[in-house]
């Protein structure tokens, strides 16, 4: 029987000072031997070569860990995508996550790709040796008309050439399981990795409540209510909640866990220590003790 994968997402910082800090974070994440690390794209003044590709190259060639580079369809031209794929191949990277990308009203789109499925199809045409991941939304994409329409669009994306799917974060596993059932009914056969984000501080919790479309179960809201002004307790409870989610998901034979680390190596390490045996990995502490 195949085992669930464990992977991490990190984001390139906006400053060169932040890059130095990120390198330390990546060293710590590398010690946990994830199946891969994905590197996001952010809409800032620095281009994708200076951010996503630079960090992805470091992960692949310095840490010797497989990496996936995020590519936003709406902000890349066909020529840019072709050039980026060439650069990735030169770095030894042949995995990408094809996204539509978050629309920024202040940044005009390129209009070469309207949807992620367009980008997926183009990559398959010009670089068929690349493995392509796609994003999925267990609780429906915020711009989708309905759950049915959302699943049909996802089906189109997979048919275009997605090899696997990585889910948006969620806090209710039952929502994720219902989503998997919908995928099965639509004959979407690509493996789906479950996206988990540990909530470890009040600021992060408030941002999730205000901006995320994820449903917050009563059990999770109770944690926020009780420990809102106790940062240590909130952190411990948030980590425990994430661990509980992961244990349940792996027990139910999910294809993999994709941890949204928010560039926090300490959080990733604690979750790893609590769940490593589920992924048949040796916990770091045991490695150190020999």
């Amino acid at each position: 029987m195949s085992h669930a994968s464990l992977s991490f997402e990190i984001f390139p910082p906006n400053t060169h000072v932040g890059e130095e800090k990120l390198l330390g974070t990546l060293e710590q994440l590398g010690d946990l031997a994830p199946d891969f690390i994905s590197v996001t794209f952010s809409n800032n003044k620095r281009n994708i070569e200076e951010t996503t590709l630079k960090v992805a190259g470091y992960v692949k060639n310095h840490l010797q860990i497989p990496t996936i580079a995020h590519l936003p369809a709406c902000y890349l031209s066909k020529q840019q995508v072709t050039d980026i794929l060439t650069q990735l191949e030169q770095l030894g990277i042949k995995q990408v996550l094809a996204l539509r990308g978050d629309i920024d009203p202040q940044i005009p789109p390129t209009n070469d790709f309207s949807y992620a499925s367009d980008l997926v199809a183009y990559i398959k045409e010009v670089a068929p040796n690349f493995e392509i991941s796609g994003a999925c939304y267990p609780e429906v994409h915020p711009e989708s008309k309905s759950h049915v329409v959302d699943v049909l669009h996802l089906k189109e994306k997979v048919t275009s050439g997605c090899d696997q799917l990585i889910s948006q974060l969620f806090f209710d596993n039952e929502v994720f399981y219902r989503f998997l059932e919908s995928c099965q009914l639509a004959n979407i056969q690509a493996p789906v990795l479950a996206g988990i984000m540990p909530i470890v501080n009040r600021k992060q919790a408030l941002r999730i409540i205000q901006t995320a479309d994820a449903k917050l179960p009563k059990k999770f809201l109770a944690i926020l209510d009780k420990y809102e002004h106790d940062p240590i307790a909130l952190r411990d409870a948030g980590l425990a909640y994430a661990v509980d989610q992961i244990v349940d998901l792996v027990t139910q034979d999910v294809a993999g866990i994709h941890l949204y680390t928010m560039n926090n190596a300490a959080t990733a390490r604690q979750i790893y220590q609590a769940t490593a045996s589920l992924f048949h990995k040796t916990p770091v502490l045991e490695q150190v003790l020999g």
Side-chain angles (χ1 to χ4, degrees):
M1 184 182 71
S2 60
H3 304 303
S5 64
L6 175 64
S7 55
F8 303 138
E9 178 183 287
I10 57 97
F11 58 88
N14 292 328
T15 66
H16 291 290
V17 173
E19 283 182 5
E20 292 300 318
K21 182 178 179 181
L22 177 62
L23 293 183
T25 296
L26 286 171
E27 292 287 346
Q28 295 180 62
L29 292 177
D31 290 342
L32 308 182
D35 290 278
F36 68 85
I37 292 177
S38 74
V39 185
T40 70
F41 169 88
S42 57
N43 295 336
N44 56 43
K45 295 180 180 179
R46 304 173 67 198
N47 61 40
I48 192 170
E49 288 83 4
E50 294 176 334
T51 55
T52 304
L53 300 194
K54 182 178 179 181
V55 175
Y58 181 86
V59 172
K60 176 67 170 66
N61 296 303
H62 180 77
L63 300 180
Q64 301 293 308
I65 292 173
T67 183
I68 294 179
H70 292 214
L71 302 183
C74 62
Y75 290 116
L76 294 173
S77 67
K78 289 184 177 179
Q79 186 59 55
Q80 282 178 303
V81 170
T82 301
D83 292 343
I84 288 169
L85 294 175
T86 298
Q87 292 176 65
L88 286 171
E89 281 201 280
Q90 291 171 348
L91 291 169
I93 299 169
K94 294 187 178 180
Q95 297 183 78
V96 295
L97 174 60
L99 306 155
R100 187 199 67 176
D102 295 330
I103 302 297
D104 185 333
Q106 298 180 343
I107 303 178
T110 60
N111 295 320
D112 273 8
F113 307 105
S114 298
Y115 303 102
S117 55
D118 299 328
L119 177 57
V120 172
Y122 181 75
I123 294 172
K124 279 298 180 184
E125 176 187 344
V126 300
N129 57 327
F130 269 74
E131 293 182 16
I132 306 176
S133 297
C136 59
Y137 295 78
E139 298 179 72
V140 183
H141 190 284
E143 297 177 23
S144 184
K145 294 179 180 179
S146 70
H147 177 70
V148 172
V149 171
D150 199 36
V151 171
L152 290 175
H153 285 159
L154 183 63
K155 171 73 171 178
E156 182 180 355
K157 190 189 301 185
V158 172
T159 302
S160 297
C162 271
D163 299 292
Q164 72 174 3
L165 298 168
I166 300 176
S167 91
Q168 177 61 281
L169 60 90
F170 61 91
F171 298 97
D172 186 342
N173 286 5
E174 292 305 317
V175 168
F176 183 74
Y177 296 141
R178 287 195 293 271
F179 169 72
L180 291 183
E181 289 175 358
S182 296
C183 289
Q184 291 174 350
L185 290 172
N187 197 30
I188 296 173
Q189 298 182 8
V192 183
L193 310 187
I196 299 296
M197 177 182 285
I199 301 300
V200 296
N201 60 62
R202 182 173 181 270
K203 181 180 179 181
Q204 183 187 18
L206 293 176
R207 185 170 63 248
I208 292 296
I209 291 172
Q210 292 170 0
T211 63
D213 294 291
K215 174 186 174 184
L216 299 176
K218 289 182 179 179
K219 180 180 177 181
F220 184 80
L221 289 172
I223 290 173
L224 297 183
D225 289 341
K226 187 173 181 65
Y227 304 117
E228 179 182 6
H229 301 294
D230 186 339
I232 295 177
L234 177 57
R235 181 178 188 279
D236 289 346
L239 285 169
Y241 190 93
V243 167
D244 186 56
Q245 275 191 278
I246 291 169
V247 170
D248 179 63
L249 289 162
V250 175
T251 301
Q252 297 299 323
D253 295 325
V254 70
I257 301 295
H258 191 59
L259 198 65
Y260 294 104
T261 69
M262 301 303 291
N263 290 6
N264 189 327
T267 296
R269 181 174 288 257
Q270 286 192 258
I271 288 179
Y272 171 89
Q273 292 286 6
T275 62
S277 63
L278 305 181
F279 303 96
H280 291 264
K281 297 178 181 291
T282 303
V284 171
L285 184 59
E286 291 183 15
Q287 294 176 14
V288 172
L289 294 177

